Amino acid sequence: MAEVAGTVSPGFERVADAFAANFEEQGDVGAAVCVYIDGAVAVDLWGGLADPQAGRAWEADTPVVVFSVTKGATVICIHMLAERGLLDIDAPVSSLWPEFAAGGKEAIPIRWVLSHRAGVAAVDAPVTFDDILGWDGVVAAIAKQTPYWTPGTRHGYHVRTFGWILGEVIRRCTGLSPGRMFSEEVATPLGLDFWIGLPEAIEPRLGRVIPPDPLEDSAALEVAAATADTLFGKAAKGPGDLFAYDERWNTRPFHAAEMPSSNGVASGRALARMYAATVSDVDGIRLLRPDTIRRATVVQSEGMDEVLGWPTNVGLGFALPPSLGPECPPGSFGHPGAGGSLGFADPGTRLGFGYVTSRMKLGPPAQDRAAALVRALRQCL
């Protein structure tokens, strides 16, 4: 039985029960869940092993790769810049990044990137991992890319390119890399264990990603079998076929790069605290205004996704229910991540939620653990 530690405020015991059950029934190996309500911690739990090979226990502040949960952090930065009048979400990307106009992309507004309508869901040009580590090579390839569909007419999940496009918008707007802006404007003020581009000194604290087994996980088998001949394969495996869900996510290069769609490293506490600060004051810090949240959570894309092949529901960068998660309340916003991690906020209850896990699952079963926690939480409210 995995050892679970932490604190639960009176009335939230069901969340603790669901968290323990995830280890017993859902195969969690190392994980954490945290909930803020009205800017204060209501649930803060962690358990299991951060590194099963070494027998190292999961600690209160253990961070782990959270995959596409990273998108939510990047989107918060975009909306912060919009609030300050430093960018216009309805302006063309090319107004800040002129090279992006190539290939018929001159009129694509930032809004369509946020809502996965830009048509730049994958990159055809050869891209190496050095291009990604150095940033300039991958964004140059994206700038030259021709859209896969007429921009604005359809939507399809921009698995990797979402973060690089918005990250370059942030860089052109501020002069800071997206990871640097997130650190200076969000993570450091709030005291978050959350990085996009991990400092080497943090490596020993990381939870070790346990990749999905394609023999046990049909969705993992589908991703593994996807080819460069399909848009899903190109988007999921990323430029240069570099992004399989395997042990590479436990390597220093995959942690050090700034991939604002994919490689954020965060603790459960950090996710909950960040999202709490979007809907309430957290120690005097509020990241986004209520009117910004209202605009950001208006549905921009819904229905069949051209890349994933199933329906999705998206606002201005944030995933919305039911895409956010099967138990997330109406009005909530955030982003799930490959493997099962989840961060979201609920303006109605002024709630911030964070769940991180090392044991990856793909497809619908990936959401079962977070869904059980959210279901239990809603029963407590």
Side-chain angles (χ1 to χ4, degrees), residues 8 23 37 66 93 103 144 191 195 212 240-241 253 308 310 321 325 369 372-373:
V8 179
F23 288 93
I37 295 178
V66 292
V93 174
K144 296 174 184 176
W195 299 269
D241 206 26
L308 298 176
W310 62 72
R369 293 161 292 173
L373 296 168

Side-chain angles (χ1 to χ4, degrees), residues 128-136 138 252-258:
T128 68
F129 202 77
D130 284 342
D131 292 326
I132 290 167
L133 280 171
W135 185 267
D136 290 345
V138 68
R252 176 64 192 150
F254 267 68
H255 301 156
E258 289 191 25

Side-chain angles (χ1 to χ4, degrees), residues 69-152:
V69 173
T70 313
K71 290 181 173 72
T74 302
V75 170
I76 287 171
C77 290
I78 289 287
H79 287 297
M80 291 174 74
L81 294 174
E83 278 193 355
R84 297 171 189 175
L86 296 176
L87 66 79
D88 178 357
I89 284 172
D90 288 309
V93 174
S94 60
S95 66
L96 288 166
W97 178 11
E99 297 88 342
F100 187 79
K105 303 193 302 301
E106 64 278 355
I108 293 174
I110 296 168
R111 176 181 297 272
W112 288 354
V113 180
L114 288 166
S115 53
H116 299 273
R117 304 184 71 82
V120 193
V123 181
D124 295 326
V127 172
T128 68
F129 202 77
D130 284 342
D131 292 326
I132 290 167
L133 280 171
W135 185 267
D136 290 345
V138 68
V139 298
I142 290 170
K144 296 174 184 176
Q145 179 67 41
T146 301
Y148 278 87
W149 60 82
T150 302

Side-chain angles (χ1 to χ4, degrees), residues 184-373:
E184 292 187 3
E185 299 284 352
V186 180
T188 297
L190 282 167
L192 307 182
D193 287 315
F194 194 161
W195 299 269
I196 303 172
L198 187 72
E200 189 168 8
I202 307 300
E203 288 282 341
R205 291 172 44 197
L206 285 191
R208 186 174 185 84
V209 170
I210 302 171
D213 185 346
L215 297 180
E216 299 177 359
D217 187 328
S218 60
L221 182 62
E222 182 180 354
V223 173
T227 70
D229 295 331
T230 67
L231 183 53
F232 172 74
K234 289 179 180 180
K237 293 188 174 181
D241 206 26
L242 294 170
F243 289 92
Y245 292 117
D246 57 21
E247 287 291 336
R248 70 191 72 192
W249 293 96
N250 290 314
T251 65
R252 176 64 192 150
F254 267 68
H255 301 156
E258 289 191 25
M259 294 187 275
S261 279
S262 307
N263 77 329
V265 173
S267 67
R269 282 178 172 176
L271 291 184
R273 188 170 171 87
M274 178 184 75
Y275 275 109
T278 66
V279 294
S280 61
D281 286 345
V282 176
D283 293 333
I285 296 173
R286 175 80 183 242
L287 294 176
L288 298 174
R289 299 191 307 251
D291 61 311
T292 298
I293 296 301
R294 285 192 293 271
R295 284 193 297 271
T297 54
V298 173
V299 175
Q300 304 291 310
S301 299
E302 61 183 334
M304 188 58 63
D305 185 291
E306 291 290 320
V307 173
L308 298 176
W310 62 72
T312 53
N313 200 34
V314 183
L316 284 175
F318 294 116
L320 306 177
S323 298
L324 178 59
E327 298 291 337
C328 292
S332 58
F333 63 93
H335 219 287
S341 294
L342 174 66
F344 75 89
D346 177 20
T349 53
R350 296 174 301 283
L351 178 152
F353 175 93
Y355 165 70
V356 298
T357 178
S358 61
R359 169 75 186 280
M360 290 191 72
K361 298 181 182 181
L362 297 179
Q367 296 185 317
D368 288 348
R369 293 161 292 173
L373 296 168

Side-chain angles (χ1 to χ4, degrees), residues 55-72:
R56 176 166 55 90
W58 199 283
E59 304 291 346
D61 60 354
T62 295
V64 69
V65 178
V66 292
F67 298 100
S68 284
V69 173
T70 313
K71 290 181 173 72

Side-chain angles (χ1 to χ4, degrees), residues 12 14-15 18-19 22 33-35 321 324-330 332 340 342-344 346 351 353-355 367-381:
F12 290 87
R14 288 184 178 183
V15 181
F19 185 64
N22 277 347
V33 63
C34 184
V35 178
L324 178 59
E327 298 291 337
C328 292
S332 58
L342 174 66
F344 75 89
D346 177 20
L351 178 152
F353 175 93
Y355 165 70
Q367 296 185 317
D368 288 348
R369 293 161 292 173
L373 296 168
V374 177
R375 185 185 310 116
L377 174 60
R378 293 183 68 180
Q379 291 170 350
C380 300
L381 295 173

